[in-house]
Amino acid sequence: MRMRIRTKIIASTVLVVSISLILSGFFIYDYAKDIIREQSIKDSRTKLAQISFQLKKIQEQVVKTAEYIVSDEEITALINAPASEDIEVNYFRKQAVQEKLGRFVALSNFILNVVIVTPNEETYSNYSGYEEYFSEYLKQDWFVKMKDTRAAYSEPHPFFFISGNRQVFSYVLKYRPIGQDLDAESYLVIDIAYSELSNVFLQSAQDFEQIELFTGSGALLLAANDKLPESDRSFMASALHSGEPFAENARTIVLTDDAMSQGWKQAALLSKSKLFMKINRVFFFYIIIIITAIIVTLVVMLPIIVNLMKPLIRLTNAMKRVAVGDLGTSVQIRSGDELEILGTGFNRMVRDLKNLMDTAVQNETVKRQMQIDLLMAQINPHFLYNSLNTVIYLSHANRGAEAAEVTQALISILQNTIKTGEGAVRAPLSEEKRIIDKYTVIQQTRYPGQFRLVWEMDEALLDRSVPRLVLQPLVENAIVHGIIPSDLEEGIIIVRAYRDGEQLVLEVEDDGQGMTVPEEGWKMQMGQGGQEPERTRGIGLSNIQERLQTHFGASARLEVFSEWGQGTLIRIKLPWTDQA
């Protein structure tokens, strides 16, 4: 699709301004995005470190409490003392353990309960009257999974506390009492309020898309978002499994932290869309600035471009008039710059072109007529040469009557072929037929009974105009070079004329000896054993070919179809016109 130069200039200006602003905006955006990304990751790591620090303090306090309880000689002695037959003694012994454990619980605001399980599965707690509950409590899956663990934290689970269930997670320690000669091991269970973890993550959770906390055994302690997409959950799991502190994909960033005790790990998921939300707003405003700059550029540049384009438009219109043949065109440009020089040169060029065209038309007319005269002068001696040979032959054979008949036919032919003007170039197909019939009389006199001429032609085509003497050389070639040299008793020559779409087709076909048509075209090799082509054959075909090119150019064709011993078909295709 063509574009006006004015459109191209405007488009180029808009394109240059747009690309410049967009590229600068892209680099600024990319640079700012990297800064925000690095700063956000740094801030997130700081928040995770703060969370780890608080969780580590909880862990340390729980572990110290466990160590104090395990190393307390009085508690150890009371728990491992032999059972008395006196129920009252056993009751007061449990009360003493309860009071001691209660003191440890009172020291922390997040430890809800302490349970000691002896090798004989007797339970001691800081709450009295819960023996049966604790017996069932310690049969739950979370505790059963941890029986073979030396010291670890459990997954979250419910715990009945005073007036109802509370969510807790437990620190379970398997130990042997100090100073006691026992092979079996006891268990210390410290139940920690789950709300303590929630409080630690409460302030930081809103800064992340998701934050998760895992124990050393891989149990999930806390997940801030229960509706996280499965793809993000899988990405977080793979980041934790890799052990790397940082992982990133197209949508999210995962940060991990393992600075806590007991193998605890936490992972935080950052959403890039939220991370870059502020810079995206800045980029949106930058797009508005780009659009505004383009509008301002157009407002300023448009009048300049219009004034610059006026002389070019006048020059373009003048060139279009010249293109359709109006060589009297001129253009007046008074811009005082290179365009004025261009307009002056255009006017001079048009004047010179007009003079050159007038001279070229005259020269071409003379040249064309000279070429046609030359070609016709070539065909006439050729025809006379062959006809007079026949007269000479008859005279030598003492066949005077036939010689007179041939001479009369020759005179009749010459009367119709010696023309001037347009009549020397073109003739009706009926006249061509009559000339061939006369010529056939001449050749049948020389070669009696050796060939027969057949016409296959619609009478409606007899008035069509064709190049003069276009068929006679072909019939002559068929007789002299096709039929006569063959061993046929009577050869057949068929002359056809018919319409094929937008073409008038003329054909001359014989069943004579044929010829070899080489790949390079219709300049054929005659005879066998490398014999040279006969000059007369070449003159006839080349003459027709040149005349077709002169009259019709590429719209006319000469085609030769022949094989040695199979006859020859020569086809001429002329453009069909409404004029006969």
Side-chain angles (χ1 to χ4, degrees):
M1 182 178 66
R2 293 183 178 180
M3 292 178 60
R4 292 186 176 182
I5 189 170
R6 179 174 59 189
T7 306
K8 290 181 179 179
I9 294 175
I10 295 173
S12 300
T13 304
V14 173
L15 188 63
V16 170
V17 173
S18 302
I19 291 177
S20 302
L21 293 175
I22 289 173
L23 286 178
S24 62
F26 172 78
F27 288 122
I28 293 172
Y29 174 80
D30 191 62
Y31 179 72
K33 185 176 70 173
D34 288 340
I35 293 177
I36 291 176
R37 174 179 170 277
E38 292 175 3
Q39 186 62 43
S40 298
I41 292 174
K42 184 177 179 181
D43 294 343
S44 299
R45 287 192 182 280
T46 302
K47 292 174 184 177
L48 289 181
Q50 292 172 351
I51 294 173
S52 295
F53 177 74
Q54 296 181 50
L55 294 175
K56 194 171 182 180
K57 286 177 63 178
I58 295 174
Q59 288 178 306
E60 290 175 350
Q61 188 169 349
V62 171
V63 171
K64 285 182 180 180
T65 302
E67 290 175 352
Y68 289 148
I69 294 173
V70 169
S71 61
D72 191 298
E73 296 180 355
E74 185 177 353
I75 294 177
T76 302
L78 289 171
I79 291 175
N80 294 286
S84 174
E85 293 180 357
D86 190 348
I87 297 175
E88 187 176 353
V89 172
N90 290 332
Y91 172 77
F92 283 111
R93 181 166 60 86
K94 279 205 167 188
Q95 281 293 108
V97 173
Q98 175 188 336
E99 290 178 2
K100 294 284 289 183
L101 293 177
R103 293 172 188 169
F104 287 107
V105 173
L107 294 175
S108 175
N109 59 351
F110 54 83
I111 296 178
L112 302 181
N113 179 55
V114 177
V115 180
I116 298 176
V117 184
T118 62
N120 59 3
E121 296 186 353
E122 187 177 3
T123 59
Y124 294 88
S125 172
N126 56 304
Y127 293 107
S128 60
Y130 284 84
E131 286 78 4
E132 292 183 4
Y133 170 73
F134 287 123
S135 296
E136 296 298 324
Y137 180 64
L138 299 176
K139 291 179 182 179
Q140 296 177 5
D141 289 341
W142 66 268
F143 181 74
V144 173
K145 292 177 182 177
M146 304 183 65
K147 276 192 172 183
D148 297 330
T149 306
R150 177 71 180 82
Y153 289 90
S154 73
E155 61 190 32
H157 57 87
F159 170 70
F160 186 79
F161 179 73
I162 303 178
S163 58
N165 284 330
R166 291 191 61 177
Q167 192 78 356
V168 298
F169 67 100
S170 302
Y171 177 71
V172 179
L173 175 66
K174 184 167 65 173
Y175 71 99
R176 290 182 182 178
I178 300 174
Q180 301 292 323
D181 187 15
L182 298 174
D183 293 333
E185 294 180 316
S186 299
Y187 290 94
L188 172 64
V189 179
I190 300 178
D191 294 322
I192 307 162
Y194 188 75
S195 59
E196 190 67 17
L197 291 180
S198 302
N199 292 335
V200 171
F201 284 93
L202 184 62
Q203 293 181 349
S204 300
Q206 60 186 1
D207 298 324
F208 302 100
E209 194 75 14
Q210 171 70 314
I211 187 166
E212 296 178 348
L213 178 65
F214 296 86
T215 65
S217 61
L220 179 64
L221 275 178
L222 183 139
N225 184 5
D226 295 331
K227 298 181 180 179
L228 191 69
E230 187 60 32
S231 58
D232 291 341
R233 193 178 302 279
S234 300
F235 183 56
M236 290 185 69
S238 63
L240 277 170
H241 182 72
S242 67
E244 297 294 331
F246 174 84
E248 182 178 10
N249 62 15
R251 295 175 47 253
T252 55
I253 298 173
V254 175
L255 303 176
T256 61
D257 183 89
D258 58 356
M260 296 158 285
S261 303
Q262 299 289 327
W264 280 21
K265 293 182 180 180
Q266 60 176 333
L269 182 72
L270 295 172
S271 172
K272 287 185 177 180
S273 59
K274 292 183 179 179
L275 190 65
F276 301 138
M277 188 176 295
K278 292 182 180 179
I279 190 65
N280 287 339
R281 285 198 296 268
V282 173
F283 189 72
F284 172 75
F285 286 116
Y286 193 81
I287 294 296
I288 296 177
I289 293 173
I290 291 175
I291 296 173
T292 304
I294 292 173
I295 294 173
V296 172
T297 301
L298 289 177
V299 170
V300 173
M301 290 294 295
L302 203 55
I304 299 174
I305 294 172
V306 169
N307 290 330
L308 180 65
M309 288 304 302
K310 284 181 179 179
L312 283 177
I313 292 173
R314 289 201 298 270
L315 186 59
T316 301
N317 293 332
M319 292 179 69
K320 288 180 180 179
R321 291 194 297 272
V322 171
V324 297
D326 184 5
L327 297 181
T329 302
S330 64
V331 61
Q332 299 296 325
I333 298 177
R334 296 289 184 265
S335 59
D337 53 18
E338 290 84 353
L339 291 175
E340 183 174 344
I341 298 174
L342 186 61
T344 303
F346 172 79
N347 293 334
R348 186 184 305 110
M349 180 194 69
V350 172
R351 288 195 301 271
D352 294 344
L353 181 61
K354 186 176 185 301
N355 295 332
L356 182 62
M357 288 292 292
D358 293 340
T359 303
V361 168
Q362 294 176 0
N363 292 340
E364 186 63 27
T365 302
V366 174
K367 179 180 176 182
R368 182 181 178 87
Q369 187 60 47
M370 290 176 64
Q371 185 178 14
I372 292 173
D373 293 342
L374 179 61
L375 291 172
M376 292 303 299
Q378 184 183 27
I379 194 67
N380 286 329
H382 167 62
F383 169 67
L384 290 173
Y385 169 79
N386 287 283
S387 300
L388 292 175
N389 272 343
T390 302
V391 175
I392 293 171
Y393 167 77
L394 293 174
S395 298
H396 284 296
N398 297 318
R399 294 160 61 180
E402 293 175 88
E405 183 182 1
V406 169
T407 303
Q408 186 63 38
L410 178 59
I411 292 172
S412 178
I413 292 172
L414 291 176
Q415 287 175 344
N416 289 279
T417 56
I418 300 175
K419 304 274 187 185
T420 59
E422 182 64 22
V425 179
R426 304 174 70 88
L429 189 56
S430 59
E431 186 173 333
E432 287 294 294
K433 181 177 180 298
R434 189 175 61 80
I435 292 174
I436 292 172
D437 287 336
K438 292 291 184 181
Y439 177 77
T440 304
V441 170
I442 297 173
Q443 295 295 57
Q444 282 177 341
T445 303
R446 184 175 181 182
Y447 306 109
Q450 294 189 34
F451 70 92
R452 179 163 52 91
L453 181 66
V454 179
W455 289 93
E456 293 182 1
M457 185 180 299
D458 189 351
E459 292 185 0
L461 299 177
L462 292 177
D463 292 333
R464 301 300 302 181
S465 177
V466 297
R468 180 174 291 278
L469 290 179
V470 73
L471 291 176
Q472 184 273 333
L474 302 182
V475 173
E476 179 180 353
N477 285 339
I479 296 172
V480 177
H481 302 293
I483 303 296
I484 301 305
S486 70
D487 297 331
L488 296 173
E489 293 183 359
E490 183 184 37
I492 298 176
I493 302 171
I494 303 174
V495 182
R496 301 185 186 93
Y498 58 91
R499 180 177 182 178
D500 182 13
E502 295 302 317
Q503 291 181 321
L504 174 63
V505 181
L506 307 176
E507 293 181 351
V508 176
E509 182 178 6
D510 67 77
D511 57 355
Q513 69 175 3
M515 55 188 171
T516 302
V517 181
E519 294 181 358
E520 61 268 17
W522 56 264
K523 294 182 179 180
M524 296 143 286
Q525 299 292 331
M526 296 298 301
Q528 298 177 351
Q531 295 177 353
E532 291 296 326
E534 293 192 19
R535 184 175 180 273
T536 54
R537 182 102 174 191
I539 290 176
L541 289 177
S542 62
N543 185 283
I544 294 171
Q545 176 78 357
E546 291 176 11
R547 283 195 289 151
L548 291 177
Q549 291 180 353
T550 301
H551 286 295
F552 304 103
S555 60
R557 296 179 60 188
L558 175 65
E559 300 175 346
V560 179
F561 305 93
S562 183
E563 292 184 13
W564 187 258
Q566 301 296 322
T568 302
L569 170 63
I570 299 179
R571 178 180 295 136
I572 297 175
K573 293 183 177 181
L574 305 175
W576 183 275
T577 59
D578 294 334
Q579 296 179 353

